[in-house]
Amino acid sequence: MSPAGRAGDIIGLDLGHATAREAEHWLAELPPVVGLTACTHLVHGGDRPRVIITVDSPEPLTLPQAGSPAADEAAIAHERRRSGRAVRYPGHEELTGTVSVAYLLGRTAIEEVRVLGGGPQPTALTLLETRAFVRPQWLDGHLVLITTRAAGGRIAPFEVPNPTPCCGGH
């Protein structure tokens, strides 16, 4: 892997974040960079479960030197567009309120929208309720937003901003 902070390479960072939320808070502190794509990757097993961050920036960034074999694997997966949950990507800041699928595909780095649960796939005119929380994933070489059906023929991101913890604390 390349040294952290060099432009044009995908950098994997193993900063010890225990949750995606922690990793997202760290990513929010990165400066605004046009064309930046930053993803989270869940790592299960090994010495401890954690969240790895990958950063693909067209400009040099000052990043910590926090590599690991898991971070290197995540960077390779991001580079090959096989895995990674995008938190920051071109156009993400424009995704608030309700937008059409055409707007989403035309104004952001998201390349495809899939609806879980079968039925017709969305058209360019289908409306997406963003909930101001749109986290596409690298799947099959594309940045894909997984959605679910919402009221009124609309769709919404499958991932919600504040999910109920597993087992709901009971």
Side-chain angles (χ1 to χ4, degrees):
M1 278 294 110
S2 304
R6 208 165 92 191
D9 295 316
I10 298 172
I11 308 298
L13 299 169
D14 190 349
L15 301 171
H17 296 120
T19 67
R21 179 174 284 212
E22 286 179 19
E24 288 191 26
H25 282 266
W26 188 87
L27 285 170
E29 299 299 319
L30 289 178
V33 174
V34 174
L36 174 82
T37 300
C39 297
T40 59
H41 303 254
L42 300 178
V43 175
H44 303 283
D47 57 339
R48 59 187 157 71
R50 62 197 182 282
V51 179
I52 300 288
I53 291 172
T54 55
V55 178
D56 181 6
S57 176
E59 297 178 19
L61 290 174
T62 301
L63 299 170
Q65 297 285 332
S68 71
D72 290 346
E73 287 180 29
I76 290 168
H78 180 147
E79 182 177 37
R80 293 180 180 166
R81 298 174 162 218
R82 287 192 331 231
S83 74
R85 173 181 162 272
V87 175
R88 291 183 60 177
Y89 49 91
H92 81 277
E93 64 282 342
E94 295 185 38
L95 295 177
T96 60
T98 301
V99 300
S100 70
V101 168
Y103 181 92
L104 176 91
L105 297 176
R107 303 285 301 244
T108 74
I110 297 171
E111 299 168 285
E112 183 180 343
V113 176
R114 296 182 189 171
V115 180
L116 291 179
Q121 291 300 303
T123 69
L125 300 177
T126 302
L127 296 177
L128 170 77
E129 296 177 12
T130 67
R131 303 174 184 149
F133 192 82
V134 181
R135 303 291 189 260
Q137 304 171 37
W138 289 116
L139 296 171
D140 306 324
H142 302 281
L143 195 55
V144 178
L145 179 64
I146 304 297
T147 65
T148 187
R149 304 244 176 248
R154 297 175 177 201
I155 57 175
F158 179 75
E159 185 178 1
V160 295
N162 296 304
T164 301
C166 181
C167 301
H170 54 83

